[in-house]
Amino acid sequence: MQGDSAGITDHHMPGSLGQDDSSQGDAAKLPASWPRRCAGTFLGCITALPGFLYFLIVGTALGPFLLWPPTRTSALGILVAGARRLTTLERIRRAAFFGDRFPEHYEVSDQKILRYLAGHALAGLVSSVVVALLAFGVVLAGALMGGMLQGSLRWHNVLGQMVLGGVLLFLDLQGLYSLAELDARTARECFGPSEQELLRQRVHELAASRAAVVQAVDSERRRIERDLHDGIQQRLVALGMLLGRARRGRSPEQADTLLRQAHQESRNILAELREVTWRVYPSALDSLGLKEALGGVSERCSIPVRTEFDVTEELPQPVETAAYFIVSESVTNAAKHSRATTVSVRVVLHGRVLTVRIQDNGVGGADPTGSGLSGLRSRVAALDGVLRVDSPGGGPTTITADLPCA
Amino acid sequence: MRLMIAEDSTLLREGLVRLLFEEGHEVLGAFGDADALLAEMALRRPDVVVLDIRMPPTHTDEGLRAALEIRDRWPETGVLVLSQHIERNYAAQLLASNAERVGYLLKDRVAQVEEFLDALERVQAGGAAIDPEVVRQLVIRTTHGDPLTRLTPRERSVLEALAQGHTNTAIAQKLHISLSSVEKNLNMIFEKLELSHTTGYSRRILAVLRYLES
C-alpha cells in the first residue's frame, strides 16, 4: 500500500512542470531576484573549488584502486559517496539562491553525480576566471578614469580604450551568463527530470489516464447492462409469466393469488428500476447537490455512515460527480466486503482542493488494482486528482481522494 | 412432457418450474448453470431441455455450448434455448446441422405463455421453434437484391410462420386463412425461391433458414 501511494504521488508530480509552474506553489521563493542569483553564481564559483580539489586529491588517491578491477567497485563507492555529499551542498545552493525545486526522492545514478560534480567544478573554475577578468577589467577602468582625470591621456586614447573595454565587458558578462545557464541546466539534469522528461511523463500520464477513462466508461456500461438484463428484464419476464399463468388459471382463487403476486412483482420491478437508474446517475446530484446525494448514499447503506460535509462554495460539476461516485463506491465496498460496522465520510474543501475521505473499521485488505478501485482511480486521474488507498490487512481501510477544483 | 431447466435467475427458474408444473408437465430438474444440467443429463433423459444462453461462470454462451453438446450426445432430446438478445450467429450455430427438436426463443417470449408452451410442444414433437423476431431479422437481412423481394406480403408472412416452425395447419390458424391457400402459398414460395419439394416440415425450415442465411 505504501508503495502504491508513493506511486500515485510520483504520478502527480509532473503537475509541478518546469520552473514556471512550480512558482504558483510558493510565490515567495520564485522567481529569485537578480542580486540573489548573482550571489548564487559567485558562490558557485567558490564551491567549484572544493569539487575540483576533491577530484584532484581523492581522485588521485583512489586512482590506483579505481584502475585495479578487484577494488574498483568499493573505490568508486567511496568516490561517489563523497561526491553525493558535495552535490547535496550544490542542491541546497541552487534551492536557496535560484529557487530551483527538485523532486524530493529523485534517484540519481552514480554516473550522473560524478558527471555533474565534474561539470560544475569545471564551469565554476572557468567562471572564477571570468569573474577575475571582470575584476581586472574594473581595476583597469579605474586606472583609465584616474588617468583621464589627471589629464595624462588624450581623448582619442580614452575613446579607444572605452570601446575595447566595452567589447571585453560584453564578452565577459556573456560568458558569465552562459556558464551560469550551463550550471543551471546540469543541475536540473542531475537533480530532477528535465523539462522535456517532465513533458514526456505528462504526455504518457495523460495517454494512460485517457485509456483508463475509456475503459472505466466501458465497464460502467457493462455493469448497467448487467443490472438491466439480470435484474429488470428477468423480473419483467417473471411478471409476464405470472400474468400468463393467471390468465390460464384453472380456478378463480388461483388466478387471484397469481394476480396478487404479479401486482407485488410489478412493485418490486419499480423499486429495482429506481435503484438501477440511481446507480447510473443520481438525479439528486443535479437537483439537490452533493450533500443531499451523499445523504442518499448513507440512507441506502446497510451499515451506519457518519458523514461530515464541510463545503461552503459551489463545486464544479465533474468534481461533484466524481466525489459522489468515490463515496458511493467506497461505502458500498465497505458494506459488502470489509465486514465493517461503521463508515465515516469526510468531504472538505481546502482552498481549491476537495478532499474526500472514506474510512471504515473493517478488516482491510482492499485490492487497489481491483476493478472498482481502479475505476475510481481513472475517474480521479481524469480530473488530475490523486487517489490514495490505505488498506493494510486487519484494517482499517482509508480511501482518500484529492480533487482539484480547477 | 418431461423437462429439465437451466436458468441462472432464480426468479425465472422458479417461475418456469411452477408454470410447467401447472400445465401438467414433469420437471426432472432445474439448475443454475450448464454443468449441473449436463451432469444430470448423463443420468436421466428428459424429452426437452430449456436453457438460458448466458449463465455462470462467464455469462457469455455457456447455454449455447451446452445445447450443442446435448444435440451432439443425445440427439433424441429436444433443446429449447432462451436468449436475452437476438444472436443470429448463435441461432445459426444451433440450426446448422439440422432443425429438428430445436428451438431458439427470446426470453421475453416466455411471458407469452401460450407461445412458449406451443414452442415446447413443437420441439418435443420433433419440430423447430424459432423466435419470430429472429426469423424477421433473417428475412430483413436477406431482402436486398434476392428472390425474396418477389414474394407477396401474404407469401412473406407464410414464409415467416414457416420458418418459425409452424405446421401448415398452425399457419392457417395463425393467419386466418384456409389450409389449401397455405399450401398454395407455400408452393408459390418454393417455386420463387427455387427450392425442391421435400417432405417433413422440419426439412423445409432448414431449407428456408439455410436459404435465408446464404
mmCIF file of all heavy atoms in Angstrom, chain B residues 80-88 91 94-95 102-112 115-116 119 122 128-139 160-161 163-166 174 205 209:
data_model
loop_
_atom_site.group_PDB
_atom_site.id
_atom_site.type_symbol
_atom_site.label_atom_id
_atom_site.label_comp_id
_atom_site.label_asym_id
_atom_site.label_seq_id
_atom_site.Cartn_x
_atom_site.Cartn_y
_atom_site.Cartn_z
ATOM 1 N N LEU B 80 -34.483 -26.344 -26.177
ATOM 2 C CA LEU B 80 -35.065 -25.025 -26.396
ATOM 3 C C LEU B 80 -34.172 -24.002 -25.689
ATOM 4 O O LEU B 80 -34.038 -24.012 -24.467
ATOM 5 C CB LEU B 80 -36.492 -24.959 -25.834
ATOM 6 C CG LEU B 80 -37.203 -23.618 -25.966
ATOM 7 C CD1 LEU B 80 -37.383 -23.244 -27.431
ATOM 8 C CD2 LEU B 80 -38.564 -23.656 -25.290
ATOM 9 N N VAL B 81 -33.538 -23.148 -26.487
ATOM 10 C CA VAL B 81 -32.603 -22.170 -25.938
ATOM 11 C C VAL B 81 -33.313 -20.833 -25.743
ATOM 12 O O VAL B 81 -34.051 -20.391 -26.618
ATOM 13 C CB VAL B 81 -31.399 -22.011 -26.897
ATOM 14 C CG1 VAL B 81 -30.541 -20.853 -26.468
ATOM 15 C CG2 VAL B 81 -30.585 -23.284 -26.929
ATOM 16 N N LEU B 82 -33.107 -20.242 -24.592
ATOM 17 C CA LEU B 82 -33.657 -18.910 -24.326
ATOM 18 C C LEU B 82 -32.528 -17.894 -24.402
ATOM 19 O O LEU B 82 -31.454 -18.109 -23.856
ATOM 20 C CB LEU B 82 -34.280 -18.866 -22.927
ATOM 21 C CG LEU B 82 -35.420 -19.833 -22.654
ATOM 22 C CD1 LEU B 82 -35.893 -19.670 -21.218
ATOM 23 C CD2 LEU B 82 -36.565 -19.604 -23.612
ATOM 24 N N SER B 83 -32.788 -16.782 -25.075
ATOM 25 C CA SER B 83 -31.725 -15.795 -25.255
ATOM 26 C C SER B 83 -32.209 -14.417 -24.829
ATOM 27 O O SER B 83 -33.382 -14.104 -24.915
ATOM 28 C CB SER B 83 -31.310 -15.778 -26.724
ATOM 29 O OG SER B 83 -30.436 -14.716 -26.941
ATOM 30 N N GLN B 84 -31.257 -13.624 -24.369
ATOM 31 C CA GLN B 84 -31.601 -12.253 -23.973
ATOM 32 C C GLN B 84 -31.794 -11.377 -25.201
ATOM 33 O O GLN B 84 -32.695 -10.564 -25.265
ATOM 34 C CB GLN B 84 -30.479 -11.641 -23.134
ATOM 35 C CG GLN B 84 -29.994 -12.504 -22.020
ATOM 36 C CD GLN B 84 -30.500 -12.017 -20.695
ATOM 37 O OE1 GLN B 84 -31.584 -11.448 -20.627
ATOM 38 N NE2 GLN B 84 -29.756 -12.252 -19.640
ATOM 39 N N HIS B 85 -30.874 -11.530 -26.140
ATOM 40 C CA HIS B 85 -30.950 -10.748 -27.372
ATOM 41 C C HIS B 85 -31.070 -11.707 -28.545
ATOM 42 O O HIS B 85 -30.886 -12.891 -28.391
ATOM 43 C CB HIS B 85 -29.670 -9.949 -27.625
ATOM 44 C CG HIS B 85 -29.046 -9.386 -26.429
ATOM 45 N ND1 HIS B 85 -29.344 -8.137 -25.971
ATOM 46 C CD2 HIS B 85 -28.125 -9.904 -25.594
ATOM 47 C CE1 HIS B 85 -28.638 -7.908 -24.901
ATOM 48 N NE2 HIS B 85 -27.895 -8.960 -24.645
ATOM 49 N N ILE B 86 -31.294 -11.107 -29.681
ATOM 50 C CA ILE B 86 -31.261 -11.923 -30.888
ATOM 51 C C ILE B 86 -29.812 -12.055 -31.304
ATOM 52 O O ILE B 86 -29.149 -11.065 -31.589
ATOM 53 C CB ILE B 86 -32.039 -11.253 -32.027
ATOM 54 C CG1 ILE B 86 -33.474 -11.035 -31.588
ATOM 55 C CG2 ILE B 86 -31.974 -12.111 -33.274
ATOM 56 C CD1 ILE B 86 -34.216 -10.094 -32.466
ATOM 57 N N GLU B 87 -29.332 -13.270 -31.287
ATOM 58 C CA GLU B 87 -27.965 -13.528 -31.733
ATOM 59 C C GLU B 87 -28.077 -14.415 -32.943
ATOM 60 O O GLU B 87 -28.164 -15.632 -32.839
ATOM 61 C CB GLU B 87 -27.178 -14.223 -30.623
ATOM 62 C CG GLU B 87 -26.785 -13.321 -29.491
ATOM 63 C CD GLU B 87 -25.573 -12.497 -29.826
ATOM 64 O OE1 GLU B 87 -25.061 -12.607 -30.961
ATOM 65 O OE2 GLU B 87 -25.146 -11.735 -28.950
ATOM 66 N N ARG B 88 -28.054 -13.794 -34.110
ATOM 67 C CA ARG B 88 -28.238 -14.592 -35.335
ATOM 68 C C ARG B 88 -27.198 -15.678 -35.438
ATOM 69 O O ARG B 88 -27.460 -16.797 -35.845
ATOM 70 C CB ARG B 88 -28.148 -13.683 -36.553
ATOM 71 C CG ARG B 88 -29.494 -13.119 -36.949
ATOM 72 C CD ARG B 88 -29.386 -12.567 -38.332
ATOM 73 N NE ARG B 88 -28.399 -11.498 -38.294
ATOM 74 C CZ ARG B 88 -28.675 -10.245 -38.624
ATOM 75 N NH1 ARG B 88 -29.879 -9.920 -39.016
ATOM 76 N NH2 ARG B 88 -27.748 -9.318 -38.587
ATOM 77 N N ALA B 91 -28.140 -18.552 -33.257
ATOM 78 C CA ALA B 91 -29.261 -19.271 -33.851
ATOM 79 C C ALA B 91 -28.763 -20.131 -34.999
ATOM 80 O O ALA B 91 -29.133 -21.308 -35.124
ATOM 81 C CB ALA B 91 -30.303 -18.275 -34.337
ATOM 82 N N LEU B 94 -26.900 -23.179 -33.845
ATOM 83 C CA LEU B 94 -27.796 -24.167 -33.265
ATOM 84 C C LEU B 94 -28.528 -24.937 -34.364
ATOM 85 O O LEU B 94 -28.796 -26.128 -34.249
ATOM 86 C CB LEU B 94 -28.800 -23.451 -32.364
ATOM 87 C CG LEU B 94 -29.521 -24.291 -31.329
ATOM 88 C CD1 LEU B 94 -28.525 -24.862 -30.340
ATOM 89 C CD2 LEU B 94 -30.541 -23.431 -30.609
ATOM 90 N N LEU B 95 -28.839 -24.241 -35.452
ATOM 91 C CA LEU B 95 -29.620 -24.856 -36.516
ATOM 92 C C LEU B 95 -28.729 -25.441 -37.600
ATOM 93 O O LEU B 95 -29.218 -26.020 -38.566
ATOM 94 C CB LEU B 95 -30.540 -23.810 -37.148
ATOM 95 C CG LEU B 95 -31.586 -23.207 -36.208
ATOM 96 C CD1 LEU B 95 -32.126 -21.923 -36.777
ATOM 97 C CD2 LEU B 95 -32.694 -24.191 -35.934
ATOM 98 N N VAL B 102 -35.404 -28.571 -32.000
ATOM 99 C CA VAL B 102 -34.602 -27.442 -31.556
ATOM 100 C C VAL B 102 -35.448 -26.171 -31.543
ATOM 101 O O VAL B 102 -36.352 -26.011 -32.363
ATOM 102 C CB VAL B 102 -33.348 -27.279 -32.450
ATOM 103 C CG1 VAL B 102 -33.752 -26.940 -33.872
ATOM 104 C CG2 VAL B 102 -32.406 -26.241 -31.901
ATOM 105 N N GLY B 103 -35.159 -25.327 -30.588
ATOM 106 C CA GLY B 103 -35.875 -24.065 -30.514
ATOM 107 C C GLY B 103 -34.939 -22.955 -30.073
ATOM 108 O O GLY B 103 -33.969 -23.189 -29.352
ATOM 109 N N TYR B 104 -35.219 -21.749 -30.538
ATOM 110 C CA TYR B 104 -34.428 -20.586 -30.138
ATOM 111 C C TYR B 104 -35.415 -19.455 -29.916
ATOM 112 O O TYR B 104 -35.993 -18.929 -30.856
ATOM 113 C CB TYR B 104 -33.426 -20.251 -31.241
ATOM 114 C CG TYR B 104 -32.479 -19.139 -30.893
ATOM 115 C CD1 TYR B 104 -31.181 -19.411 -30.465
ATOM 116 C CD2 TYR B 104 -32.862 -17.806 -30.991
ATOM 117 C CE1 TYR B 104 -30.310 -18.397 -30.145
ATOM 118 C CE2 TYR B 104 -32.005 -16.780 -30.675
ATOM 119 C CZ TYR B 104 -30.726 -17.084 -30.256
ATOM 120 O OH TYR B 104 -29.849 -16.060 -29.947
ATOM 121 N N LEU B 105 -35.618 -19.118 -28.645
ATOM 122 C CA LEU B 105 -36.618 -18.100 -28.327
ATOM 123 C C LEU B 105 -35.992 -16.946 -27.558
ATOM 124 O O LEU B 105 -35.050 -17.143 -26.792
ATOM 125 C CB LEU B 105 -37.727 -18.693 -27.440
ATOM 126 C CG LEU B 105 -38.749 -19.648 -28.023
ATOM 127 C CD1 LEU B 105 -39.832 -19.902 -26.997
ATOM 128 C CD2 LEU B 105 -39.355 -19.105 -29.298
ATOM 129 N N LEU B 106 -36.533 -15.770 -27.777
ATOM 130 C CA LEU B 106 -36.169 -14.654 -26.922
ATOM 131 C C LEU B 106 -36.793 -14.887 -25.560
ATOM 132 O O LEU B 106 -37.883 -15.441 -25.465
ATOM 133 C CB LEU B 106 -36.724 -13.348 -27.491
ATOM 134 C CG LEU B 106 -35.884 -12.640 -28.522
ATOM 135 C CD1 LEU B 106 -36.563 -11.330 -28.902
ATOM 136 C CD2 LEU B 106 -34.499 -12.343 -27.964
ATOM 137 N N LYS B 107 -36.101 -14.441 -24.536
ATOM 138 C CA LYS B 107 -36.608 -14.688 -23.186
ATOM 139 C C LYS B 107 -37.997 -14.095 -22.980
ATOM 140 O O LYS B 107 -38.839 -14.671 -22.296
ATOM 141 C CB LYS B 107 -35.655 -14.073 -22.164
ATOM 142 C CG LYS B 107 -34.830 -15.118 -21.496
ATOM 143 C CD LYS B 107 -34.083 -14.546 -20.337
ATOM 144 C CE LYS B 107 -33.251 -15.653 -19.734
ATOM 145 N NZ LYS B 107 -32.362 -15.152 -18.704
ATOM 146 N N ASP B 108 -38.209 -12.927 -23.586
ATOM 147 C CA ASP B 108 -39.500 -12.263 -23.395
ATOM 148 C C ASP B 108 -40.656 -13.162 -23.802
ATOM 149 O O ASP B 108 -41.763 -13.034 -23.316
ATOM 150 C CB ASP B 108 -39.567 -10.989 -24.235
ATOM 151 C CG ASP B 108 -38.316 -10.170 -24.111
ATOM 152 O OD1 ASP B 108 -37.347 -10.674 -23.491
ATOM 153 O OD2 ASP B 108 -38.291 -9.045 -24.624
ATOM 154 N N ARG B 109 -40.352 -14.078 -24.740
ATOM 155 C CA ARG B 109 -41.404 -14.941 -25.268
ATOM 156 C C ARG B 109 -41.987 -15.828 -24.170
ATOM 157 O O ARG B 109 -43.119 -16.268 -24.263
ATOM 158 C CB ARG B 109 -40.816 -15.796 -26.403
ATOM 159 C CG ARG B 109 -41.779 -16.156 -27.495
ATOM 160 C CD ARG B 109 -42.314 -14.960 -28.235
ATOM 161 N NE ARG B 109 -41.264 -14.217 -28.897
ATOM 162 C CZ ARG B 109 -41.489 -13.085 -29.546
ATOM 163 N NH1 ARG B 109 -42.697 -12.591 -29.609
ATOM 164 N NH2 ARG B 109 -40.496 -12.454 -30.106
ATOM 165 N N VAL B 110 -41.186 -16.095 -23.140
ATOM 166 C CA VAL B 110 -41.652 -16.954 -22.058
ATOM 167 C C VAL B 110 -42.873 -16.331 -21.379
ATOM 168 O O VAL B 110 -43.771 -17.036 -20.917
ATOM 169 C CB VAL B 110 -40.519 -17.170 -21.030
ATOM 170 C CG1 VAL B 110 -40.991 -18.033 -19.873
ATOM 171 C CG2 VAL B 110 -39.336 -17.825 -21.702
ATOM 172 N N ALA B 111 -42.900 -15.000 -21.364
ATOM 173 C CA ALA B 111 -44.020 -14.322 -20.727
ATOM 174 C C ALA B 111 -45.318 -14.557 -21.501
ATOM 175 O O ALA B 111 -46.399 -14.521 -20.931
ATOM 176 C CB ALA B 111 -43.735 -12.840 -20.615
ATOM 177 N N GLN B 112 -45.186 -14.778 -22.813
ATOM 178 C CA GLN B 112 -46.374 -15.140 -23.577
ATOM 179 C C GLN B 112 -46.531 -16.647 -23.475
ATOM 180 O O GLN B 112 -46.047 -17.415 -24.304
ATOM 181 C CB GLN B 112 -46.224 -14.701 -25.036
ATOM 182 C CG GLN B 112 -46.556 -13.232 -25.208
ATOM 183 C CD GLN B 112 -45.548 -12.504 -26.061
ATOM 184 O OE1 GLN B 112 -44.395 -12.940 -26.173
ATOM 185 N NE2 GLN B 112 -45.961 -11.405 -26.644
ATOM 186 N N GLU B 115 -47.429 -19.038 -26.367
ATOM 187 C CA GLU B 115 -46.399 -19.188 -27.395
ATOM 188 C C GLU B 115 -45.273 -20.074 -26.900
ATOM 189 O O GLU B 115 -44.751 -20.914 -27.639
ATOM 190 C CB GLU B 115 -45.834 -17.822 -27.785
ATOM 191 C CG GLU B 115 -46.681 -17.114 -28.810
ATOM 192 C CD GLU B 115 -46.006 -15.844 -29.287
ATOM 193 O OE1 GLU B 115 -44.774 -15.868 -29.495
ATOM 194 O OE2 GLU B 115 -46.717 -14.828 -29.433
ATOM 195 N N PHE B 116 -44.924 -19.874 -25.649
ATOM 196 C CA PHE B 116 -43.830 -20.652 -25.067
ATOM 197 C C PHE B 116 -44.199 -22.132 -25.023
ATOM 198 O O PHE B 116 -43.426 -22.997 -25.443
ATOM 199 C CB PHE B 116 -43.529 -20.119 -23.668
ATOM 200 C CG PHE B 116 -42.521 -20.929 -22.903
ATOM 201 C CD1 PHE B 116 -41.226 -21.086 -23.385
ATOM 202 C CD2 PHE B 116 -42.861 -21.548 -21.709
ATOM 203 C CE1 PHE B 116 -40.297 -21.838 -22.674
ATOM 204 C CE2 PHE B 116 -41.939 -22.298 -21.007
ATOM 205 C CZ PHE B 116 -40.656 -22.442 -21.490
ATOM 206 N N ALA B 119 -44.230 -23.614 -28.390
ATOM 207 C CA ALA B 119 -42.873 -23.878 -28.874
ATOM 208 C C ALA B 119 -42.324 -25.164 -28.273
ATOM 209 O O ALA B 119 -41.701 -25.980 -28.966
ATOM 210 C CB ALA B 119 -41.967 -22.705 -28.522
ATOM 211 N N ARG B 122 -43.798 -28.120 -29.993
ATOM 212 C CA ARG B 122 -43.241 -28.325 -31.334
ATOM 213 C C ARG B 122 -41.862 -28.962 -31.248
ATOM 214 O O ARG B 122 -41.541 -29.869 -32.005
ATOM 215 C CB ARG B 122 -43.135 -26.988 -32.068
ATOM 216 C CG ARG B 122 -44.345 -26.712 -32.945
ATOM 217 C CD ARG B 122 -44.149 -25.445 -33.703
ATOM 218 N NE ARG B 122 -44.369 -24.276 -32.853
ATOM 219 C CZ ARG B 122 -43.801 -23.097 -33.042
ATOM 220 N NH1 ARG B 122 -42.952 -22.941 -34.026
ATOM 221 N NH2 ARG B 122 -44.059 -22.098 -32.228
ATOM 222 N N ALA B 128 -39.283 -27.505 -34.978
ATOM 223 C CA ALA B 128 -38.419 -26.390 -34.583
ATOM 224 C C ALA B 128 -39.280 -25.252 -34.074
ATOM 225 O O ALA B 128 -40.461 -25.166 -34.391
ATOM 226 C CB ALA B 128 -37.600 -25.914 -35.777
ATOM 227 N N ALA B 129 -38.694 -24.411 -33.268
ATOM 228 C CA ALA B 129 -39.400 -23.235 -32.781
ATOM 229 C C ALA B 129 -38.426 -22.080 -32.795
ATOM 230 O O ALA B 129 -37.594 -21.934 -31.906
ATOM 231 C CB ALA B 129 -39.919 -23.482 -31.368
ATOM 232 N N ILE B 130 -38.513 -21.308 -33.836
ATOM 233 C CA ILE B 130 -37.590 -20.185 -33.959
ATOM 234 C C ILE B 130 -38.361 -18.913 -33.632
ATOM 235 O O ILE B 130 -39.482 -18.721 -34.097
ATOM 236 C CB ILE B 130 -37.033 -20.070 -35.399
ATOM 237 C CG1 ILE B 130 -36.603 -21.439 -35.916
ATOM 238 C CG2 ILE B 130 -35.872 -19.098 -35.447
ATOM 239 C CD1 ILE B 130 -35.554 -22.127 -35.110
ATOM 240 N N ASP B 131 -37.729 -18.057 -32.857
ATOM 241 C CA ASP B 131 -38.403 -16.841 -32.450
ATOM 242 C C ASP B 131 -38.772 -16.001 -33.671
ATOM 243 O O ASP B 131 -37.944 -15.799 -34.562
ATOM 244 C CB ASP B 131 -37.485 -16.022 -31.539
ATOM 245 C CG ASP B 131 -38.274 -15.002 -30.768
ATOM 246 O OD1 ASP B 131 -38.602 -13.945 -31.347
ATOM 247 O OD2 ASP B 131 -38.585 -15.279 -29.597
ATOM 248 N N PRO B 132 -40.027 -15.523 -33.718
ATOM 249 C CA PRO B 132 -40.457 -14.709 -34.854
ATOM 250 C C PRO B 132 -39.502 -13.559 -35.126
ATOM 251 O O PRO B 132 -39.239 -13.217 -36.280
ATOM 252 C CB PRO B 132 -41.817 -14.175 -34.404
ATOM 253 C CG PRO B 132 -42.298 -15.135 -33.385
ATOM 254 C CD PRO B 132 -41.096 -15.743 -32.745
ATOM 255 N N GLU B 133 -38.957 -12.988 -34.043
ATOM 256 C CA GLU B 133 -38.054 -11.850 -34.204
ATOM 257 C C GLU B 133 -36.782 -12.258 -34.931
ATOM 258 O O GLU B 133 -36.276 -11.522 -35.781
ATOM 259 C CB GLU B 133 -37.721 -11.295 -32.808
ATOM 260 C CG GLU B 133 -37.207 -9.885 -32.813
ATOM 261 C CD GLU B 133 -38.117 -8.918 -33.554
ATOM 262 O OE1 GLU B 133 -39.348 -8.945 -33.360
ATOM 263 O OE2 GLU B 133 -37.556 -8.146 -34.348
ATOM 264 N N VAL B 134 -36.289 -13.454 -34.593
ATOM 265 C CA VAL B 134 -35.082 -13.952 -35.259
ATOM 266 C C VAL B 134 -35.368 -14.132 -36.742
ATOM 267 O O VAL B 134 -34.597 -13.697 -37.607
ATOM 268 C CB VAL B 134 -34.634 -15.296 -34.648
ATOM 269 C CG1 VAL B 134 -33.429 -15.839 -35.377
ATOM 270 C CG2 VAL B 134 -34.336 -15.134 -33.169
ATOM 271 N N VAL B 135 -36.487 -14.763 -37.024
ATOM 272 C CA VAL B 135 -36.858 -15.001 -38.423
ATOM 273 C C VAL B 135 -36.987 -13.683 -39.167
ATOM 274 O O VAL B 135 -36.467 -13.505 -40.264
ATOM 275 C CB VAL B 135 -38.181 -15.790 -38.486
ATOM 276 C CG1 VAL B 135 -38.666 -15.885 -39.919
ATOM 277 C CG2 VAL B 135 -38.004 -17.152 -37.874
ATOM 278 N N ARG B 136 -37.655 -12.739 -38.504
ATOM 279 C CA ARG B 136 -37.864 -11.438 -39.141
ATOM 280 C C ARG B 136 -36.526 -10.807 -39.513
ATOM 281 O O ARG B 136 -36.338 -10.305 -40.610
ATOM 282 C CB ARG B 136 -38.639 -10.529 -38.186
ATOM 283 C CG ARG B 136 -39.344 -9.386 -38.882
ATOM 284 C CD ARG B 136 -40.468 -8.861 -38.015
ATOM 285 N NE ARG B 136 -41.461 -9.887 -37.726
ATOM 286 C CZ ARG B 136 -42.058 -10.032 -36.537
ATOM 287 N NH1 ARG B 136 -41.740 -9.243 -35.539
ATOM 288 N NH2 ARG B 136 -42.951 -10.976 -36.350
ATOM 289 N N GLN B 137 -35.597 -10.876 -38.563
ATOM 290 C CA GLN B 137 -34.280 -10.284 -38.836
ATOM 291 C C GLN B 137 -33.579 -10.994 -39.979
ATOM 292 O O GLN B 137 -32.941 -10.366 -40.803
ATOM 293 C CB GLN B 137 -33.417 -10.363 -37.576
ATOM 294 C CG GLN B 137 -33.928 -9.444 -36.501
ATOM 295 C CD GLN B 137 -32.797 -8.671 -35.866
ATOM 296 O OE1 GLN B 137 -31.631 -8.939 -36.137
ATOM 297 N NE2 GLN B 137 -33.137 -7.709 -35.051
ATOM 298 N N LEU B 138 -33.702 -12.325 -39.988
ATOM 299 C CA LEU B 138 -33.060 -13.075 -41.073
ATOM 300 C C LEU B 138 -33.680 -12.676 -42.400
ATOM 301 O O LEU B 138 -32.988 -12.508 -43.397
ATOM 302 C CB LEU B 138 -33.227 -14.579 -40.843
ATOM 303 C CG LEU B 138 -32.376 -15.166 -39.717
ATOM 304 C CD1 LEU B 138 -32.779 -16.597 -39.430
ATOM 305 C CD2 LEU B 138 -30.903 -15.099 -40.074
ATOM 306 N N VAL B 139 -35.001 -12.517 -42.399
ATOM 307 C CA VAL B 139 -35.684 -12.130 -43.638
ATOM 308 C C VAL B 139 -35.234 -10.741 -44.058
ATOM 309 O O VAL B 139 -34.874 -10.500 -45.193
ATOM 310 C CB VAL B 139 -37.213 -12.171 -43.444
ATOM 311 C CG1 VAL B 139 -37.906 -11.584 -44.669
ATOM 312 C CG2 VAL B 139 -37.675 -13.583 -43.200
ATOM 313 N N GLU B 160 -42.536 -16.547 -43.051
ATOM 314 C CA GLU B 160 -42.092 -16.262 -41.686
ATOM 315 C C GLU B 160 -42.632 -17.296 -40.714
ATOM 316 O O GLU B 160 -41.897 -17.843 -39.878
ATOM 317 C CB GLU B 160 -42.545 -14.861 -41.256
ATOM 318 C CG GLU B 160 -41.639 -13.768 -41.767
ATOM 319 C CD GLU B 160 -42.031 -12.403 -41.213
ATOM 320 O OE1 GLU B 160 -42.792 -12.360 -40.233
ATOM 321 O OE2 GLU B 160 -41.577 -11.394 -41.791
ATOM 322 N N ALA B 161 -43.915 -17.576 -40.829
ATOM 323 C CA ALA B 161 -44.532 -18.564 -39.939
ATOM 324 C C ALA B 161 -43.893 -19.931 -40.149
ATOM 325 O O ALA B 161 -43.652 -20.682 -39.200
ATOM 326 C CB ALA B 161 -46.036 -18.631 -40.192
ATOM 327 N N ALA B 163 -40.849 -20.512 -41.182
ATOM 328 C CA ALA B 163 -39.503 -20.514 -40.625
ATOM 329 C C ALA B 163 -39.529 -20.631 -39.109
ATOM 330 O O ALA B 163 -38.600 -21.154 -38.492
ATOM 331 C CB ALA B 163 -38.765 -19.243 -41.039
ATOM 332 N N GLN B 164 -40.598 -20.148 -38.514
ATOM 333 C CA GLN B 164 -40.706 -20.280 -37.063
ATOM 334 C C GLN B 164 -40.956 -21.711 -36.635
ATOM 335 O O GLN B 164 -40.845 -22.051 -35.465
ATOM 336 C CB GLN B 164 -41.834 -19.391 -36.538
ATOM 337 C CG GLN B 164 -41.486 -17.920 -36.494
ATOM 338 C CD GLN B 164 -42.723 -17.067 -36.370
ATOM 339 O OE1 GLN B 164 -43.714 -17.499 -35.793
ATOM 340 N NE2 GLN B 164 -42.667 -15.877 -36.931
ATOM 341 N N GLY B 165 -41.338 -22.538 -37.566
ATOM 342 C CA GLY B 165 -41.515 -23.942 -37.239
ATOM 343 C C GLY B 165 -42.965 -24.380 -37.154
ATOM 344 O O GLY B 165 -43.251 -25.472 -36.668
ATOM 345 N N HIS B 166 -43.874 -23.545 -37.637
ATOM 346 C CA HIS B 166 -45.283 -23.936 -37.559
ATOM 347 C C HIS B 166 -45.640 -24.930 -38.666
ATOM 348 O O HIS B 166 -45.062 -24.898 -39.760
ATOM 349 C CB HIS B 166 -46.180 -22.698 -37.683
ATOM 350 C CG HIS B 166 -46.093 -21.806 -36.487
ATOM 351 N ND1 HIS B 166 -46.643 -22.139 -35.283
ATOM 352 C CD2 HIS B 166 -45.496 -20.597 -36.308
ATOM 353 C CE1 HIS B 166 -46.417 -21.170 -34.411
ATOM 354 N NE2 HIS B 166 -45.695 -20.228 -35.009
ATOM 355 N N LYS B 174 -53.089 -19.322 -37.653
ATOM 356 C CA LYS B 174 -52.407 -18.090 -37.255
ATOM 357 C C LYS B 174 -52.772 -16.932 -38.180
ATOM 358 O O LYS B 174 -52.978 -15.805 -37.718
ATOM 359 C CB LYS B 174 -50.899 -18.352 -37.318
ATOM 360 C CG LYS B 174 -50.041 -17.499 -36.398
ATOM 361 C CD LYS B 174 -48.609 -17.998 -36.480
ATOM 362 C CE LYS B 174 -47.636 -16.842 -36.416
ATOM 363 N NZ LYS B 174 -47.160 -16.476 -35.113
ATOM 364 N N ILE B 205 -38.049 -26.049 -42.977
ATOM 365 C CA ILE B 205 -37.499 -24.942 -42.192
ATOM 366 C C ILE B 205 -36.011 -24.823 -42.438
ATOM 367 O O ILE B 205 -35.469 -23.734 -42.659
ATOM 368 C CB ILE B 205 -37.699 -25.179 -40.684
ATOM 369 C CG1 ILE B 205 -39.170 -25.335 -40.375
ATOM 370 C CG2 ILE B 205 -37.114 -24.033 -39.877
ATOM 371 C CD1 ILE B 205 -39.402 -26.072 -39.096
ATOM 372 N N LEU B 209 -34.312 -21.633 -43.734
ATOM 373 C CA LEU B 209 -33.304 -20.925 -42.934
ATOM 374 C C LEU B 209 -31.956 -20.892 -43.631
ATOM 375 O O LEU B 209 -31.287 -19.869 -43.667
ATOM 376 C CB LEU B 209 -33.166 -21.584 -41.562
ATOM 377 C CG LEU B 209 -34.265 -21.231 -40.581
ATOM 378 C CD1 LEU B 209 -34.090 -22.023 -39.307
ATOM 379 C CD2 LEU B 209 -34.257 -19.741 -40.279
#
